[in-house]
Amino acid sequence: AEARIDLIAQAWSVLSGQAHGARQDQAMASARAELVDANVGLLRLLHPPLVNAEPSAGYIQAYPPGVRENGGQYTHGGVWALMAQARLQAAGHAPPGDLPYQWFTWLSPAHRAAHPVWGPVYGIEPYAVAGDVCSIAPHAGRGGWSWYTGAAAWLHRAAVESIFGLRLSAMRLSLHPCLPAHWPHAEITLRRGERVMRFVLLRGADDTDAVDEALREVPVDARPLAVGEAVEWTALPAASCHVVRLIG
């Protein structure tokens, strides 16, 4: 009756790679059905909140329902869910769409604070990631502890590794982006030691204004790079540019 589903378990079934594909799909489908509140823009950590559980779940249960870990949006878990959803979509195990980016905007303090409805309710700094957001009336959408959480680093990783899709190892890299459909053009520049690698991601035909403008800024020796194609980055010149064409 309480804490029937937990976002961390759902997300890490994907991120750990320990569950097979169908179970990963099922886990994230359940998370989307039971833990996502699109009306307030929240990813609840667990549901329903703990109130009368015996034996007690400990300090989490001491929080009021919908506050912090007790059914609120806990940013660590929300970022892991974003990353898991992007991982499934990049692997073709989920329909393409903008959920990873949409969830990023829910978790990003800058985006949330700028929202015309959610921003005034959020009520805390737009430049520091909050550890949590309340999920139950009368405080649904109210920001919790800010200047406190390691989730800021995870949100940065989600932007680089999940939205832009950069996968980097000691010798090789590849891109598996989940950019939102309304972005015709995006760029990411990676610096490793003295090596600078620029990646230009394009969606659409060359005769569209945004793509045409982006291509004018691309050097003539830019190399094409397919989505998912691995590059031995340690063998690249000191400065390089790659063009990644996105489908859809």
Side-chain angles (χ1 to χ4, degrees), residues 225-241:
L225 180 66
V227 170
E229 179 185 352
V231 173
E232 190 172 336
W233 66 265
T234 55
L236 293 175
S240 63
C241 180

Side-chain angles (χ1 to χ4, degrees), residues 114-225:
H115 193 281
V117 176
W118 301 343
V121 178
Y122 183 59
I124 57 175
E125 302 93 344
Y127 44 79
V129 173
D132 62 287
V133 180
C134 296
S135 67
I136 292 180
H139 303 298
R142 169 68 181 175
W145 289 22
S146 62
W147 294 97
Y148 175 73
T149 178
W154 277 104
L155 191 61
H156 178 263
R157 285 191 62 174
V160 174
E161 298 176 15
S162 300
I163 304 301
F164 279 89
L166 176 65
R167 298 185 188 176
L168 177 69
S169 68
M171 302 288 289
R172 299 164 75 83
L173 64 81
S174 59
L175 285 144
H176 308 256
C178 283
L179 297 184
H182 65 281
W183 285 14
H185 164 229
E187 296 190 24
I188 183 169
T189 299
L190 176 64
R191 293 179 174 86
R192 300 289 288 173
E194 296 182 356
R195 186 174 280 105
V196 179
M197 295 158 278
R198 177 186 173 199
F199 300 91
V200 180
L201 293 81
L202 300 174
R203 177 186 283 112
D206 291 352
D207 58 356
T208 57
D209 291 343
V211 171
D212 183 60
E213 181 180 352
L215 285 172
R216 284 198 294 268
E217 302 296 325
V218 172
V220 294
D221 60 347
R223 307 176 185 183
L225 180 66

Side-chain angles (χ1 to χ4, degrees), residues 55-74:
S56 170
Y59 90 98
I60 291 178
Q61 192 168 330
Y63 287 117
V67 174
R68 289 184 61 78
E69 293 101 319
N70 195 12
Q73 175 174 276
Y74 207 62

